[in-house]
Amino acid sequence: MRQKPTVLAREIVASSRLFRVEQLQLRFSNGVERTYERLVGKGTGHGAVMIVAMLDAEHAVLVEEYCGGTDEYELSLPKGLIEPGEDVLAAAERELKEEAGFGARQLEHLTELSLSPGYMSQKIQVVLASDLYEERLEGDEPEPMRVDRVNLRELASLAQNPQFTEGRALAALYLARDLLTQRGVFQP
């Protein structure tokens, strides 16, 4: 196992309402020194959750929402922040109800994914939800989200959809599809 670099200095060089930019002065085991910058979340950092919610054996729920980063309406999986005192599965259940109008009788943590580990510290927990039922909770979204669906057989086509660009969501769908195929629930 490689030895992690030594942190020589750490400083917040910029800050906004949601994020901080942290500058790290690092020395690697071979003596080379570098300055890295990374985006770190503000606040308590309870993390986030993304839900692959299965409507049936082959269809997953997608939601459409405005994304400030791309300045576009995008399709993705339901997701959101984990609240203080909330575990991953409870957060997944709440976010699914808020964003898509579904609860789930079965929830299973699948994995943890990062977006851009070279520049961001944030990670997201991926949860598989099944045995859905209709139930809506009021959320913090500024407008109602349009709910859509994707067939797990059509993930390659989904990846070509200009309205679906989030790599973590695509990875989560492939992971869920592979797991459901292994379990004999989904037939490719």
Side-chain angles (χ1 to χ4, degrees):
M1 181 177 248
R2 297 182 75 168
Q3 180 181 341
K4 292 196 318 188
T6 302
V7 178
L8 303 173
R10 181 185 309 247
E11 177 185 3
I12 301 299
V13 295
S15 187
S16 76
R17 183 177 59 84
L18 296 175
F19 301 104
R20 297 175 297 178
V21 177
E22 182 179 54
Q23 188 176 75
L24 300 170
Q25 297 294 114
L26 302 173
R27 179 181 299 126
F28 289 82
S29 59
N30 63 358
V32 173
E33 293 185 11
R34 288 284 192 275
T35 300
Y36 278 59
E37 290 183 348
R38 66 182 187 164
L39 191 63
V40 293
K42 271 190 142 173
T44 55
H46 298 284
V49 64
M50 174 179 281
I51 306 100
V52 179
M54 298 304 299
L55 290 164
D56 55 38
E58 61 186 59
H59 294 93
V61 172
L62 296 177
V63 293
E64 180 189 61
E65 69 177 316
Y66 175 77
C67 297
T70 60
D71 189 30
E72 299 287 343
Y73 279 90
E74 301 241 357
L75 288 170
S76 190
L77 295 172
K79 61 186 166 300
L81 296 176
I82 300 171
E83 300 291 335
E86 197 174 42
D87 71 19
V88 170
L89 298 182
E93 174 88 1
R94 178 183 50 75
E95 287 292 341
L96 185 58
K97 289 177 181 179
E98 290 176 1
E99 294 193 356
F102 290 104
R105 291 182 186 90
Q106 290 188 263
L107 295 158
E108 177 183 356
H109 181 259
L110 295 184
T111 193
E112 178 179 80
L113 297 174
S114 63
L115 180 60
S116 182
Y119 298 99
M120 300 175 76
S121 63
Q122 292 86 357
K123 295 184 178 180
I124 198 161
Q125 306 303 315
V126 178
V127 172
L128 178 64
S130 57
D131 196 6
L132 303 184
Y133 57 92
E134 290 187 26
E135 183 176 337
R136 180 163 298 284
L137 287 177
E138 186 70 29
D140 59 359
E141 292 74 25
E143 61 185 358
M145 293 182 163
R146 183 175 68 84
V147 177
D148 205 340
R149 64 163 72 199
V150 62
N151 189 313
L152 295 183
R153 288 184 180 87
E154 299 170 356
L155 296 184
S157 296
L158 181 64
Q160 301 303 313
N161 182 336
Q163 198 181 6
F164 185 90
T165 65
E166 187 171 10
R168 297 177 305 176
L170 187 60
L173 286 164
Y174 273 108
L175 289 168
R177 185 185 74 180
D178 288 354
L179 178 67
L180 293 172
T181 300
Q182 288 172 4
R183 292 180 178 171
V185 175
F186 175 72
Q187 303 298 320

